[in-house]
Each structure stands twice: as C-alpha cells, then as structure tokens.
Amino acid sequence: MSDAAITIENLGKRYTIGHQRGVDEGMRHVIEGAIRAPLARLRSSRQKRLQDVDFWALKNVSCQIKRGEVVGIIGRNGAGKSTLLKILSRITVPTEGRVHINGRIASLLEVGTGFHQELTGRENIFLNGAILGMTREEIVRKFDEIVEFSEIAEFLDTPVKRYSSGMYVRLAFAVAAHLDPEILIIDEVLAVGDASFQKKCLGKMGSFAQSGKTVLFVSHNMEAVRDLCQRAVWLKDGRLNQDGKSEDIIESYFNSFSDTLSFSCTNPDYGLTIRKVLLRNDRGQESSQFHPGDDLIVEISYDAQKRIERPIIALGVLGTGGSCFTSNMLLDGHRPSFLEGAGVLTCTFRAIPLLPQNYTVKMRLQAANVKDVIVPYQEVASFSVVGDLSEYGYKGDFLTWALRSTPVVIPYEWRLPDGTTARVALTRNTF
Amino acid sequence: MPQVIIEAGHTEKQYWRDLWRYRELFYFLAWRDLLVRYKQTFVGVGWSIIRPLLTMIVLTVVFGKLGKMPSGGRPYPLLVLCGMLPWQFFSGAMAESGNSLVANSNLISKVYFPRIIVPVSSVITSFVDFLISAVFLAVLMIWYRFSPPAAVLFLPLFVILMFGVSLGVGLWIAALMVKYRDFRFIVPFIVQFGLYISPVGFQSSVVPQQYRLMYALNPMVGIIDGFRLCLLGGQDSINWGGIAFAIADVIVLLVSGFWYFRKTEQTFADVI
C-alpha cells in the first residue's frame, strides 16, 4: 500500500443529459416547474424520467499507480480520459467510488490557466504560480529559473496581451514546469507551441519522470506516450479496457481500429451523409492490410440531399507518431464543382512508402468558404501495413525495429567509403 | 506526505486544510482584480474618489436641499457619505462576488482550489475601495471640523457586519449564478432598488415609527444606522431593533450562503 501513489477504486462519474432544456438551464423552468409541480408530478413523472438520460462518462474504473511510475492514458475522444483527469485533479467529484492520492499533486489540464491578458509577464508568473498551488515564497525563489526557461526576459514587463502566442505558451509552460509536486497530471499540454518548444517540454517531462516522480500523461500522441511512459492505461467508453506495458497497449489500441465497423456520419445542416469509407488495394479489393509499396485507395461514399458547392476534402494518413502524408484539396485545388445525390469519390495514394506498422486515415470536409467544417477532421478508417522487409531488399539484423521506426521511407541511396552504392525503396519492383 | 481522498459525496475533512494551504490565493486574486481594475483608464484609482463624491453631491442636493430631509444638525454631505460608505461597499461587493465564479469559469473548470476563495477575494477587493472612500470621509470630516463621538470605537463591529452581509449575499448569488444566469439581471436591479429602500440619502428616523421594524428587515438599515451612530453621534433615537435585526440577518445570510455554496460547489465545474 505504501508505495502506491494513486489508488483508484470503482470510480464512476455520471452526467445527466437531456435534463437541460435548450442551451442553459434557465431559472424560468425551475420556477415554472415548481408552480406546476403538484399537477405535473402526477402526470409527467414517467415522462420526465424518459427525458433525463444518464450517461456514465466513467464506470467501474479501478487501478493502482505506484510511486515513480509514468503512466500514459490513451483512448478515443469521449472515452473518459478527461473526466478521469478532472476527478484526479479534484475539479469535479466522482458519482461513485474513491481515489486515494498519496503525495503532493499538481495537475496541468491547460497551459496558462488563469493568465490575465492585461497583466505583465512578471505579474502573471505570480498569479499563475499561486493558482497552480505555489506559495509566494516558492515563486520568488524560482522566479529567475522560470524567466530563464521561458526565454522572454526582455518582455517581462509587457502585458501578455501583446505577446505572440509562442511567447505566451512558453511563459505559461515555464511556470508549470517549475511546480514541484510528487505526482503530476498532464493533459495534452504539449499540443501547443512550435516544434522546438514541444521538444523542450517533452525533455522537461522526461527529466521529471526520471527524477522518480509519478506522472499521469494523457495524450493522443502515441509516440510521446511510448517514449515517456512504461505503462499505459486504455480507456474505452468510460471503462478501463486494458492496462499494461505501454508498447503492448498501444499496439492493441491500434489493432482495435481494424475490427471496428466502417465509418459513417451525417451533417443534417448540410444534408450530407458520409455512408462509408472503404480502403481498397490496387486490385480493387476491400482491405485493411497492405504491403509496403501497394496502392492505397480511399473510397468515400456520400449522399448529399442538398447540393454542396465546391467542397474541400482533405485526407491524412497517420501512424502511431503522427501524420505521414496527406492529400488536400485546399492545397491542390482539385475540388469537385459540387456534390449532389449519392456518389463515390476516391483518392489513390500510389505505392505507399510505409513500414509495417499500424495507421489510421483521417478525413475532413469543408464548405467552399473554408471556414465552415461539414465533416470535422476525424478518423474514418484504419489499416495496417504488413510484410517481410527482407523482400524489399532490407537485410539488417534488427528488422523488428521497423515497428518503432519513423514509418515513411522515401527512396534513398547510400554511397559508402569503399565506393559501393545501395539503393533502398519500399517498392517491390525496384530490385 | 499529504494524503488526499476523493470520494463521492464529501471532502469535508480536507476543506479547511486546503483553505489554509491556498490562503495566499485570497490575496493574489484580490491583487489581480485591483491591478486590472484601473488598467487603461485615464483617471485610474481616482475613480474610487470620484464615484462617491458625485453620488454624494447628487444625494445631498436631492434629499437635503430639494427634499428638505432632517439631518439632526449634522452637515448633510457627511450624513450621506456615512450611508454611502457601507452601501457602496455592499452593492459593489455583492455584484462582484456574485459574478466572480462565472467570470473565473476558466479557472473553475481547469484547476482545483477551494472555490470559496473566488467570491471572498472579490469582497476583499471591494474592501480596498471602501478604505479609499473612508479616507475621503475622514478628509471631509476634518473639513467640516466634525470630530466623531466616543462611539466610533464600535465602528469595527459594523464594518464586520457590513463585510458579513456582503459576503453572505455574494455567496448565494455566486453559487446561484453558476446555474442560473438570470442573476446577471437580478443583481443590478437589487443595487438600484436597494439604494432607495436603504437609508442612504436620508436617516432611517424619517421612516414612520410603525414601519420601523419592518424596515429593519433590510440588514443595511441597521448597518448604515450603526455607521452614522459611530461616526456622527446619535442625536436622534438609536434604533436598537434595527441593529439587532442586522446582526441576525448577517448570521442567517452568512451561514445559509456558506451552506448553499458548499452544497453546490462540487458541481460548479460540471455546470459552469
């Protein structure tokens, strides 16, 4: 028991949906309800119960996190990750179950919580520090370190509303990075800032993890989870689906996509239904398994009840570590002049230069004015690339490492000191 | 090593300990509000003098000169200012703390700290304005060569009552506003209405004797009477009933406000 940092027992959180009428639960309804209550209670008690829909954002979640463990929490949107973090950081209370936290805890659900636009950088360091739970004395002590980390020393007395978004994020993360808790909870904070700053943040988190602190890390960036965390917890529909070594969990997380049913969605405002999105190989067969160098055909079946003028479709192929490649009408400009009625649209990616790993396909559909998103960017299909790399001329001793490599391989050529050359490409007919 | 237990229902035990741990946040939030308040204004902090000054002039002219209300031999501007001091504190503190949770919803939904710090520090912010206005009153009293009676020693009692009633009402409104934004419209109404039903521009002795007790249900009646009694002396009869009512009101409002706040606090992040 003593080496447990966080013990979660049967945790559940229920939200009631449908109880709220309209946008806000106005007082008029309550007063109206109170006046009508004597009558209404007789009549509509059953009806009312039907209106209120209970939704368990989290249910029966139990697990124990040991001191010094770095745990990644993964799962799709709406799987309950954020709810779990909110409960652990005590922003909201659970409906059932209990959590025992052993140690000084700090949580970062957002970078720059409580920053005030009108205040200067210096003032915001104090304000933000206090909100995150530091004492004034602690902030004074770490002030110079924070300023140095943020790299904004010369703008310290400028209101943050004049900062660029990069400066803002750097300052905010600098304050957060100097919290000194025993347990740290982080939610996707790294999704902001430029690449070099993200690297710095990851480095800081890595050193935090190495110094024996307990870290809970929620992210969609599987590469970051795999690099930082030994253990991963996979939440699915509010339940704990799997818990174990992060590599194993991430792999089965990706594998799970190939079992799911075909994607479909409807946007009633535009009268557009995406009926299904299929992946086909170069022989035209539906498939979720491809070989390196195969053609990948993404086939989108739609049904447009209303005419949609010049829509913009973008596709992205993503691996565990993020985007690999994309096709985007916003860039190439080859937009359909309109969509109307039922139809099919395909995009063929020629000779996919991908190593044997798991991938997902994301899609977005925007209206002609770019601003209005008809189908938001989301996962529509997934596939895995399989194959024996030795068939492609690979002859390394560590071919299994391909599973963790950067997935995209464009043709390249080695020229060695002895004058020999070697061409490498993920296409079968090259050799 | 600090231990935290999160459980469905209650977190009572940790509440006071957390409040102590986050005690500096009272100060930081009030400091923020004060810093921000007069940013990008020309007159700056001068506003906390100008507002009571202008209101005092208007009320003196309306009630003292035009309405010819009695002043018990005291300068009418002083009489008005003694009433305005607690009243402006109350209306400001109530409005600010009532709105404070919604105004800080980004904090509420993203980070933990005892929520009660937010409305309380709003009341503290208003108290700073009160102190500035109090200096203004002192200057005015010197100007009129008016020295306060010995009863001034009881002034802190009324300051505490004033603080309590503002916080009590503020807690109620803050917690209710999270769920019912209707209070956005109700608060300015209370402020406007309250100025007339509280003895700000006139003495409460103007109210006919048979209505006095009912009138005193308004806690501000007892508090404003008390302020005048302590600062200007009690030439007219002291309304002990009003003061007793004020004390009872403050206790009821504070206890119930705190109770309701604590009861709804846990759902703030879900509802806001």
Side-chain angles (χ1 to χ4, degrees):
Chain A
M1 247 333 250
S2 62
D3 65 337
I6 303 176
T7 311
I8 301 171
E9 290 162 24
N10 272 318
L11 203 63
K13 173 78 181 174
R14 183 184 61 214
Y15 287 103
T16 306
I17 328 176
H19 178 66
Q20 287 169 311
R21 297 198 240 169
V23 184
D24 213 17
E25 190 175 356
M27 196 167 60
R28 190 170 66 90
H29 295 301
V30 177
I31 295 172
E32 208 178 274
I35 294 166
R36 289 191 184 159
L39 262 178
R41 203 164 287 159
L42 290 173
R43 251 187 313 153
S44 72
S45 61
R46 203 198 303 152
Q47 201 184 344
K48 199 170 174 198
R49 224 167 275 156
L50 284 176
Q51 267 176 13
D52 296 352
V53 180
D54 282 349
F55 166 72
W56 286 92
L58 222 52
K59 184 87 179 143
N60 289 333
V61 174
S62 300
C63 76
Q64 195 178 68
I65 290 158
K66 292 198 184 65
R67 192 163 301 148
E69 258 188 323
V70 182
V71 179
I73 297 173
I74 61 174
R76 294 188 165 208
N77 295 326
K81 305 188 299 285
S82 303
T83 308
L84 179 61
L85 288 205
K86 278 192 171 176
I87 291 173
L88 292 181
S89 25
R90 301 169 66 199
I91 291 164
T92 186
V93 289
T95 313
E96 55 180 41
R98 56 178 277 164
V99 181
H100 190 118
I101 296 170
N102 205 344
R104 204 162 100 102
I105 191 167
S107 67
L108 285 179
L109 301 197
E110 182 188 66
V111 156
T113 306
F115 261 45
H116 199 289
Q117 294 291 323
E118 297 284 347
L119 299 182
T120 66
R122 182 190 304 275
E123 290 161 346
N124 268 312
I125 290 177
F126 279 91
L127 180 64
N128 188 231
I131 286 168
L132 293 176
M134 287 195 235
T135 63
R136 183 158 36 152
E137 182 240 333
E138 209 176 337
I139 304 169
V140 170
R141 188 154 37 88
K142 292 175 178 166
F143 190 83
D144 293 338
E145 250 177 279
I146 294 174
V147 173
E148 194 184 327
F149 189 87
S150 68
E151 304 165 11
I152 57 124
E154 63 221 276
F155 304 103
L156 211 49
D157 292 307
T158 310
V160 297
K161 64 178 173 182
R162 312 238 185 274
Y163 281 24
S164 72
S165 58
M167 286 158 65
Y168 185 91
V169 169
R170 282 210 299 276
L171 179 62
F173 188 83
V175 180
H178 289 83
L179 281 170
D180 189 27
E182 287 143 348
I183 304 168
L184 183 67
I185 297 181
I186 308 182
D187 186 9
E188 293 269 36
V189 188
L190 303 168
V192 288
D194 53 38
S196 73
F197 186 70
Q198 283 192 21
K199 200 168 263 173
K200 196 169 171 183
C201 300
L202 272 174
K204 184 80 191 175
M205 282 182 51
S207 66
F208 192 87
Q210 273 157 25
S211 64
K213 312 273 172 101
T214 314
V215 181
L216 245 78
F217 177 47
V218 164
S219 179
H220 285 112
N221 182 346
M222 292 302 151
E223 194 161 279
V225 172
R226 183 152 46 190
D227 284 351
L228 287 172
C229 312
Q230 310 108 34
R231 178 175 158 198
V233 171
W234 173 11
L235 290 180
K236 191 179 179 186
D237 302 326
R239 279 153 214 272
L240 197 153
N241 195 44
Q242 275 185 44
D243 180 354
K245 248 182 81 184
S246 59
E247 285 191 26
D248 304 342
I249 302 293
I250 290 170
E251 197 185 334
S252 55
Y253 175 65
F254 271 99
N255 285 336
S256 73
F257 292 147
S258 43
D259 308 332
T260 50
L261 288 168
S262 175
F263 171 85
S264 70
C265 76
T266 299
N267 183 329
D269 294 343
Y270 286 88
L272 180 76
T273 302
I274 301 295
R275 289 197 315 206
K276 59 186 175 187
V277 176
L278 292 181
L279 301 181
R280 296 185 186 279
N281 59 24
D282 31 15
R283 292 173 298 285
Q285 294 156 333
E286 194 187 326
S287 177
S288 64
Q289 283 199 352
F290 295 81
H291 291 280
D294 279 358
D295 286 354
L296 168 71
I297 304 168
V298 182
E299 183 183 285
I300 302 155
S301 307
Y302 62 87
D303 192 357
Q305 273 104 47
K306 291 186 221 160
R307 187 179 165 107
I308 297 174
E309 299 286 344
R310 300 202 37 86
I312 302 157
I313 297 170
L315 293 172
V317 172
L318 294 89
T320 45
S323 300
C324 295
F325 46 79
T326 176
S327 61
N328 191 342
M329 291 179 184
L330 201 56
L331 298 177
D332 63 47
H334 298 292
R335 296 149 67 175
S337 43
F338 60 87
L339 299 182
E340 196 170 24
V344 173
L345 190 147
T346 68
C347 179
T348 304
F349 292 98
R350 295 275 177 221
I352 48 171
L354 296 174
L355 288 173
Q357 289 180 17
N358 296 315
Y359 301 91
T360 56
V361 179
K362 286 191 172 185
M363 180 186 79
R364 172 176 53 221
L365 203 151
Q366 287 156 282
N369 68 0
V370 185
K371 197 167 88 254
D372 295 330
V373 177
I374 302 176
V375 178
Y377 198 53
Q378 60 189 297
E379 260 166 47
V380 292
S382 61
F383 64 94
S384 46
V385 170
V386 295
D388 185 356
L389 284 175
S390 59
E391 288 176 26
Y392 296 83
Y394 277 67
K395 40 189 174 187
D397 295 325
F398 301 97
L399 283 185
T400 51
W401 285 22
L403 277 173
R404 294 199 52 183
S405 159
T406 301
V408 182
V409 180
I410 61 170
Y412 59 89
E413 188 178 289
W414 293 114
R415 185 181 295 269
L416 305 177
D418 63 3
T420 54
T421 59
R423 283 192 284 169
V424 183
L426 280 177
T427 40
R428 269 190 280 194
N429 306 327
T430 317
F431 299 95
Chain B
M1 180 154 301
Q3 308 241 336
V4 176
I5 295 167
I6 303 168
E7 229 170 345
H10 42 84
T11 43
E12 294 294 339
K13 259 185 282 172
Q14 289 139 27
Y15 196 77
W16 299 104
R17 207 183 60 199
D18 281 346
L19 213 52
W20 176 248
R21 214 192 111 202
Y22 281 90
R23 65 192 180 279
E24 284 187 334
L25 200 52
F26 285 106
Y27 159 76
F28 273 110
L29 288 182
W31 170 76
R32 175 196 68 180
D33 289 344
L34 284 171
L35 270 182
V36 169
R37 176 171 299 178
Y38 298 115
K39 286 254 159 130
Q40 279 201 7
T41 60
F42 181 67
V43 183
V45 81
W47 280 114
S48 49
I49 296 289
I50 295 173
R51 270 167 55 217
L53 176 71
L54 292 179
T55 320
M56 181 194 78
I57 291 171
V58 169
L59 290 180
T60 304
V61 169
V62 170
F63 289 102
K65 296 275 180 279
L66 303 178
K68 301 242 183 321
M69 297 275 194
S71 72
R74 294 161 292 190
Y76 213 88
L78 282 186
L79 191 82
V80 167
L81 201 59
C82 276
M84 268 172 50
L85 233 57
W87 172 254
Q88 286 207 330
F89 173 79
F90 169 75
S91 60
M94 174 195 64
E96 299 266 320
S97 65
N99 199 36
S100 61
L101 287 176
V102 174
N104 287 296
S105 59
N106 62 327
L107 289 188
I108 306 286
S109 58
K110 290 292 181 195
V111 63
Y112 169 80
F113 53 85
R115 300 327 190 186
I116 203 158
I117 293 175
V118 174
V120 173
S121 65
S122 295
V123 177
I124 294 173
T125 309
S126 303
F127 194 69
V128 174
D129 272 347
F130 171 82
L131 292 178
I132 295 173
S133 305
V135 171
F136 176 53
L137 174 72
V139 169
L140 206 69
M141 283 173 81
I142 294 168
W143 167 269
Y144 278 104
R145 294 172 190 286
F146 199 101
S147 53
V152 76
L153 292 175
F154 288 100
L155 190 64
L157 168 72
F158 292 99
V159 173
I160 290 169
L161 284 181
M162 170 188 84
F163 204 94
V165 75
S166 309
L167 184 60
V169 176
L171 286 178
W172 267 105
I173 294 176
L176 284 165
M177 179 105 71
V178 170
K179 206 167 182 187
Y180 309 112
R181 299 289 151 86
D182 305 63
F183 280 88
R184 226 173 235 163
F185 306 101
I186 296 174
V187 168
F189 183 71
I190 299 178
V191 170
Q192 207 178 25
F193 198 60
L195 179 65
Y196 298 105
I197 63 165
S198 305
V200 179
F202 49 88
Q203 298 182 85
S204 63
S205 56
V206 177
V207 177
Q209 193 67 46
Q210 68 265 39
Y211 300 125
R212 283 277 182 88
L213 217 56
M214 206 173 75
Y215 189 54
L217 282 174
N218 172 359
M220 289 313 287
V221 172
I223 291 169
I224 292 173
D225 280 355
F227 263 75
R228 291 209 174 111
L229 182 73
C230 297
L231 287 167
L232 305 179
Q235 273 94 334
D236 42 38
S237 62
I238 301 159
N239 189 353
W240 289 111
I243 292 168
F245 260 123
I247 294 173
D249 278 347
V250 168
I251 292 170
V252 168
L253 280 169
L254 255 185
V255 170
S256 66
F258 185 72
W259 165 81
Y260 185 73
F261 194 91
R262 289 282 290 132
K263 200 180 87 144
T264 51
E265 184 177 32
Q266 301 190 327
T267 60
F268 285 167
D270 300 334
V271 179
I272 208 161

